[in-house]
Amino acid sequence: METIILDDERSIARLAAGAFVDLLARKPDAVLGLATGSSPLGVYDELAARHEDGDISFARARAFTLDEYVGLPADHPETYRNVINRDFTSRVDIDPDAVRGPDGLAEVIPASCAEYEAAIAAAGGVDLQVLGIGAVGHIGFNEPGSSFASRTRIKTLTHQTRVDNARFFDGDVDAVPSHCLTQGLGTIMDARHVVLIATGRHKAEAVHHLVEGPVSAMWPGTILQHHPHATVLLDSAAASRLQLADYFREAYRGKPSWQGL
Ligand code: F6R
């Protein structure tokens, strides 16, 4: 796991966007893994700007989202399909049919989740997965206690996650769905490169466990310590509880410029 601490969110967004640009330059039909929420917004802004400048095309790319609320009507502005469309995919030239997410309105949820896993596998697996991390340590919506071997399935959201996401539902916790479909930890671990972004002091405890804690289902993101190619991008506030912060800063300062993420 490479942990990089940067001064501001713009630098984080630029660095993460660079990983997408490099990937699509060498593999135009790459498979992208997309997260919703606040953490990747700067990356999506940066990618939209670089697309506008003609630096990057998503015309042949495919994308899979991490998760979806269960039971929200298709036209609800907070379904993750609508969120990812608004925040990112409608702003670049990716084919809308090449963007898939778990089906939160599926009649038979286990079959639908198995189909989603099969679609990711048929596409050749995810090349680059962008992730945020919840204050409770989840990645995707793999809440504490999730199996490290889990695949796409239904999960009950913790009360804390619903409180955290109430800001997207006019502050009304009860309006946040109680269940979601999420790629499992096993699914996420299959991505060839994972880039996790965390900013702000409210993420510091989760980041402390993610980077320096023992690997534990109580802090599901810690499974990424076993990923062969995981990059963690932090601002100083999110990194504020890391014992090794000075070492990570020094290592990044000394990193050769030819070495990408
Ligand atoms: C979203 C997702 C979640 C978020 C996490 C952090 O698709 O899978 O794991 O990444 O809850 O959310 P933000 O970025 O809004 O703090």
Side-chain angles (χ1 to χ4, degrees):
M1 180 185 274
E2 181 182 21
T3 302
I4 299 175
I5 304 168
L6 296 170
D7 290 336
D8 59 283
E9 295 192 19
R10 184 82 203 277
S11 308
I12 292 173
R14 282 205 185 127
L15 199 59
F20 281 85
V21 174
D22 292 349
L23 171 66
L24 287 167
R26 67 170 189 276
K27 187 177 180 185
D29 61 348
V31 179
L32 311 177
L34 304 177
T36 48
S38 305
S39 304
L41 288 180
V43 184
Y44 297 152
D45 287 347
E46 189 69 23
L47 287 171
R50 295 192 68 166
H51 169 62
E52 206 162 302
D53 291 345
D55 288 350
I56 185 170
S57 170
F58 298 82
R60 293 177 54 202
R62 286 136 319 143
F64 291 90
T65 58
L66 277 175
D67 31 37
E68 182 59 275
Y69 289 120
V70 171
L72 279 190
D75 60 355
H76 192 289
E78 293 307 325
T79 69
Y80 281 159
R81 166 154 283 278
N82 292 331
V83 170
I84 204 67
N85 183 50
R86 191 165 66 232
D87 289 345
F88 181 49
T89 53
S90 65
R91 303 165 69 195
V92 296
D93 59 345
I94 195 166
D95 176 357
D97 291 338
V99 182
R100 289 196 55 173
D103 180 1
L105 293 172
E107 274 181 26
V108 185
I109 283 176
S112 175
C113 291
E115 261 174 46
Y116 193 58
E117 287 279 335
I120 296 172
V126 170
D127 290 297
L128 176 56
Q129 175 70 56
V130 66
L131 292 174
I133 187 166
V136 296
H138 67 217
I139 53 174
F141 280 118
N142 295 285
E143 300 286 35
S146 292
S147 163
F148 288 155
S150 50
R151 311 301 305 189
T152 303
R153 69 212 182 293
I154 189 166
K155 283 297 284 184
T156 304
L157 297 177
T158 60
H159 181 68
Q160 184 60 52
T161 296
R162 294 177 73 211
V163 168
D164 290 345
N165 285 7
R167 68 191 192 280
F168 299 116
F169 292 82
D170 297 326
D172 180 4
V173 180
D174 294 332
V176 182
S178 54
H179 290 81
C180 66
L181 305 184
T182 180
Q183 286 187 27
L185 294 170
T187 319
I188 293 170
M189 286 292 285
D190 284 347
R192 284 181 272 278
H193 183 195
V194 171
V195 175
L196 184 147
I197 296 168
T199 59
R201 195 162 293 271
H202 62 300
K203 297 292 176 73
E205 186 183 14
V207 166
H208 157 68
H209 289 281
L210 169 75
V211 176
E212 298 180 341
V215 175
S216 160
M218 285 304 287
W219 292 93
T222 58
I223 187 63
L224 296 178
Q225 292 180 25
H226 286 299
H227 195 286
H229 191 183
T231 308
V232 175
L233 302 179
L234 306 172
D235 69 357
S236 301
S240 58
R241 285 194 51 191
L242 293 183
Q243 284 177 29
L244 296 175
D246 288 344
Y247 168 71
F248 294 137
R249 286 194 172 94
E250 185 189 330
Y252 187 62
R253 269 199 303 273
K255 188 174 174 179
S257 56
W258 51 263
Q259 210 178 3
L261 280 190

